[in-house]
């Protein structure tokens, strides 16, 4: 028979409610699963409503017309082929600089001229050539933008190698055991040292590698994993079809139905269209992120045995806008830090000014990739990127922890549809209403 003490033992103790912030993440698992189920069901309802209202709009053949106006004219592909000329030009300049056939000032001038042409030449073709489509222009300009960033890094790293070699020669006349007879000094432990890296094989490996930052010795994986590669290829194929289907079936009708509210300046309907567009736009953006940064870049890395696979970090846990931009696109972030942010800091700029400079450069390239293919300059993308600066301050100042993460997600979900609608509206007015306007 239990004693009276055990029967009357107290049943209360100091503890928090489950919904308190200190109760632990595991207590929310069921609620999070409920949210996921509700999200899936609500989107399924929207998708079914879309099918009932518009029918099946998916047309893979129509996608071809987005890239080509004339099946016998391939201007975007020609632009990609011509890009090889600028890479070879940068390589030839570096070869001459390595042997002293050019001065550093002359080499800098040639590199600057080459980089300016890399940006201006495709822009002029995309803007002036009527046979090139907006989608073809975007793809060509993206390739040229990556080429610009890669050649910029290629020039910087080779310059640092020459400076290191010059300092090594000046400091010691007696060569170290690992130094070559011609005075070359290894800039990093590995099989290649400057100027032995100046070969076409090294150049083209860098141009096709999934990175924007050049190194003399990239980390390499020991072999190509065939199963891993096959999974990534199947993902690329599946998500490509899914993206095309979602854009044609879901986004295009929503955007088309948004033109009348914009024309009539019906603000309540504009907000309703914006919120309706936010769901498919964000879903497509998330799928695109996985398709490009995981499937595509890992496919290229596996084929080239490129060892560094950190193409993104946990940006979805971002509690500040700054953390998001530092972690969602690692190749671009590394380039900005290595070739823009740190050089500005070394020249005496403040941390805040260097950050502003990075956002200005990013804003320029965002606008470059949108306005030129559309042949109109509205600066919505530029303004959106610049707006990240005050937004980052507001989120870091007034929102912390989970609230900061929620604020980041809200800006991602709402901000992109605003820019999409702005550009689509202006493009529609410019190309469809302007020609029919009276004198």
């Amino acid at each position: 028979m239990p004693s009276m003490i055990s029967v009357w033992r107290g049943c209360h103790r100091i503890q928090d409610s489950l919904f308190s912030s200190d109760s632990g993440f595991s207590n929310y698992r069921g609620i999070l699963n409920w949210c996921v189920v509700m999200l899936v069901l609500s989107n399924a309802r929207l998708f079914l409503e879309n099918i009932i209202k518009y029918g099946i709009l998916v047309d893979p053949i129509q996608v071809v017309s987005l890239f080509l106006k004339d099946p016998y004219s391939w201007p975007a592909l020609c632009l990609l082929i011509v890009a090889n000329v600028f890479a070879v030009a940068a390589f030839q300049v570096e070869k001459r600089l390595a042997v002293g056939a050019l001065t550093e000032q002359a080499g800098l001038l040639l590199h600057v001229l080459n980089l300016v042409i890399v940006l201006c030449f495709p822009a002029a073709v995309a803007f002036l050539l009527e046979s090139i489509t907006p989608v073809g222009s975007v793809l060509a300009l993206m390739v040229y933008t990556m080429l610009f960033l890669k050649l910029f890094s290629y020039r910087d790293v080779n310059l640092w190698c020459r400076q290191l070699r010059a300092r090594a020669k000046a400091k010691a006349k007696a060569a170290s055991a690992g130094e070559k007879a011609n005075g070359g000094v290894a800039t990093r432990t590995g099989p290649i040292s400057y100027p032995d890296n100046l070969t076409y094989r090294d150049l083209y490996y860098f141009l096709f590698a999934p990175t924007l930052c050049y190194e003399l010795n990239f980390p390499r994986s020991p072999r190509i994993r065939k199963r891993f590669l096959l999974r990534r290829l199947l993902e690329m194929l599946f998500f490509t079809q899914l993206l095309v289907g979602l854009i044609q079936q879901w986004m295009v009708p929503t955007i088309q139905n948004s033109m009348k509210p914009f024309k009539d300046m019906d603000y309540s309907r504009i907000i309703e269209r914006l919120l309706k567009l936010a769901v498919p736009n964000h879903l497509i953006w998330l799928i695109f992120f996985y398709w490009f940064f995981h499937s595509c870049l890992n496919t290229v890395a596996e084929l080239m045995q490129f060892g560094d696979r950190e193409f993104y970090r946990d940006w979805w846990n971002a509690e500040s806008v700054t953390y998001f931009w530092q972690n969602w696109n690692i190749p671009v972030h590394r380039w900005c830090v290595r070739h823009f942010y740190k050089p500005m800091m070394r020249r005496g700029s403040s941390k805040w000014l260097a950050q502003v400079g990075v956002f200005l450069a990013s804003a320029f390239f965002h606008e470059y990739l949108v306005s030129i293919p559309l042949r109109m300059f509205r600066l919505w993308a530029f303004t959106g990127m610049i707006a990240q600066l005050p937004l980052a301050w507001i989120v870091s100042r007034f929102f912390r922890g989970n609230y900061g993460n929620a604020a980041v997600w809200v800006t991602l979900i709402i901000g992109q549809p605003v820019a999409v609608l702005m550009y689509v509206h202006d493009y529609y007015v410019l190309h469809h209403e302007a020609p029919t306007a009276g004198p």
Side-chain angles (χ1 to χ4, degrees):
M1 180 175 180
S3 65
M4 293 298 293
I5 295 177
S6 62
V7 171
W8 294 102
R9 180 180 297 167
C11 59
H12 297 286
R13 60 187 175 89
I14 298 176
Q15 55 185 333
D16 290 325
S17 299
L18 281 178
F19 284 148
S20 65
S21 59
D22 298 329
S23 60
F25 176 80
S26 61
N27 295 317
Y28 298 97
R29 183 180 60 183
I31 296 177
L32 290 176
N33 289 336
W34 174 81
C35 292
V36 171
V37 171
M38 291 299 295
L39 182 64
V40 171
L41 291 177
S42 61
N43 285 329
R45 184 196 65 81
L46 291 174
F47 188 75
L48 181 60
E49 179 184 349
N50 178 278
I51 295 292
I52 295 173
K53 185 176 181 179
Y54 301 109
I56 302 297
L57 301 177
V58 178
D59 182 9
I61 305 300
Q62 188 182 22
V63 178
V64 178
S65 65
L66 297 176
F67 296 90
L68 296 173
K69 286 184 178 179
D70 182 357
Y72 300 101
S73 177
W74 299 59
L77 180 61
C78 293
L79 275 176
L80 299 183
I81 296 174
V82 172
N84 177 68
V85 174
F86 303 106
V88 172
F91 173 77
Q92 292 297 331
V93 171
E94 285 300 326
K95 286 285 286 186
R96 284 159 176 76
L97 285 169
V99 298
L102 283 175
T103 63
E104 288 295 338
Q105 292 78 6
L108 175 61
L109 180 62
L110 291 174
H111 273 303
V112 170
L113 180 62
N114 189 50
L115 291 174
V116 169
I117 297 175
V118 165
L119 289 182
C120 294
F121 171 70
V125 172
F127 195 79
L128 299 175
L129 190 64
E130 292 295 331
S131 61
I132 192 169
T133 65
V135 175
S137 296
V138 169
L139 293 178
L141 291 179
M142 286 181 65
V143 170
Y144 272 85
T145 299
M146 289 188 290
L147 179 65
F148 173 89
L149 299 177
K150 283 174 177 278
L151 294 183
F152 194 105
S153 179
Y154 188 73
R155 181 260 171 188
D156 269 4
V157 173
N158 282 298
L159 173 62
W160 298 337
C161 290
R162 287 193 299 275
Q163 291 173 343
L164 180 61
R165 183 175 64 174
R167 285 197 298 267
K169 286 182 178 180
K171 284 182 179 179
K173 294 183 179 180
S176 62
E179 190 175 355
K180 295 186 176 182
N182 64 356
V185 59
T187 58
R188 177 179 171 179
T189 303
I192 300 177
S193 62
Y194 186 83
D196 297 335
N197 64 303
L198 297 177
T199 63
Y200 280 112
R201 179 176 180 176
D202 179 85
L203 172 68
Y204 282 101
Y205 181 87
F206 170 55
L207 291 180
F208 286 98
T211 180
L212 299 174
C213 293
Y214 177 68
E215 291 185 12
L216 273 68
N217 298 284
F218 288 107
R220 303 291 292 272
S221 55
R223 63 184 179 85
I224 296 177
R225 297 169 294 177
K226 296 181 176 61
R227 290 185 180 180
F228 178 86
L229 180 61
L230 180 60
R231 286 197 298 269
R232 300 290 82 80
L233 288 171
L234 291 176
E235 286 176 356
M236 287 176 59
L237 180 62
F238 171 75
F239 285 118
T240 298
Q241 300 298 324
L242 182 61
L243 285 170
V244 171
L246 288 175
I247 291 172
Q248 290 183 326
Q249 184 68 45
W250 205 347
M251 276 197 71
V252 172
T254 304
I255 292 174
Q256 290 175 342
N257 292 336
S258 302
M259 294 302 99
K260 190 176 186 304
F262 266 97
K263 184 179 179 180
D264 299 338
M265 285 295 130
D266 186 347
Y267 294 107
S268 60
R269 291 285 294 170
I270 290 175
I271 295 174
E272 185 268 339
R273 290 287 103 182
L274 175 65
L275 295 176
K276 190 170 184 178
L277 181 63
V279 175
N281 178 85
H282 189 64
L283 180 61
I284 289 169
W285 181 78
L286 290 175
I287 294 173
F288 172 81
F289 167 81
Y290 186 90
W291 172 80
F292 182 76
F293 285 97
H294 187 72
S295 302
C296 294
L297 293 186
N298 267 295
T299 296
V300 176
E302 195 68 28
L303 287 171
M304 302 187 69
Q305 295 180 258
F306 186 80
D308 187 359
R309 308 297 175 88
E310 191 182 38
F311 306 122
Y312 55 90
R313 299 191 188 114
D314 61 335
W315 57 265
W316 46 87
N317 294 324
E319 297 177 0
S320 67
V321 175
T322 304
Y323 185 89
F324 167 79
W325 286 110
Q326 290 174 345
N327 291 276
W328 95 277
N329 188 338
I330 295 301
V332 170
H333 172 68
R334 283 177 176 165
W335 188 95
C336 289
V337 171
R338 189 192 198 196
H339 298 287
F340 202 103
Y341 181 82
K342 287 185 177 179
M344 286 189 68
M345 295 285 287
R346 286 195 294 266
R347 289 177 173 83
S349 298
S350 65
K351 182 178 179 180
W352 180 84
L353 185 60
Q355 289 177 341
V356 172
V358 170
F359 272 100
L360 283 172
S362 180
F364 165 78
F365 281 109
H366 276 77
E367 193 64 40
Y368 174 82
L369 293 173
V370 177
S371 289
I372 292 175
L374 295 179
R375 297 189 177 97
M376 63 180 192
F377 298 93
R378 296 297 186 270
L379 299 181
W380 296 119
F382 186 89
T383 303
M385 284 302 302
I386 295 301
Q388 299 298 307
L389 291 170
L391 179 64
W393 180 83
I394 291 172
V395 172
S396 62
R397 178 69 175 81
F398 298 103
F399 301 94
R400 301 291 175 86
N402 292 332
Y403 297 104
N405 181 253
V408 172
W409 277 109
V410 169
T411 60
L412 291 175
I413 294 172
I414 301 298
Q416 293 175 2
V418 171
V420 170
L421 285 179
M422 290 298 184
Y423 276 108
V424 170
H425 170 262
D426 291 348
Y427 186 83
Y428 176 82
V429 171
L430 184 64
H431 291 84
H432 295 279
E433 290 193 352
T436 61

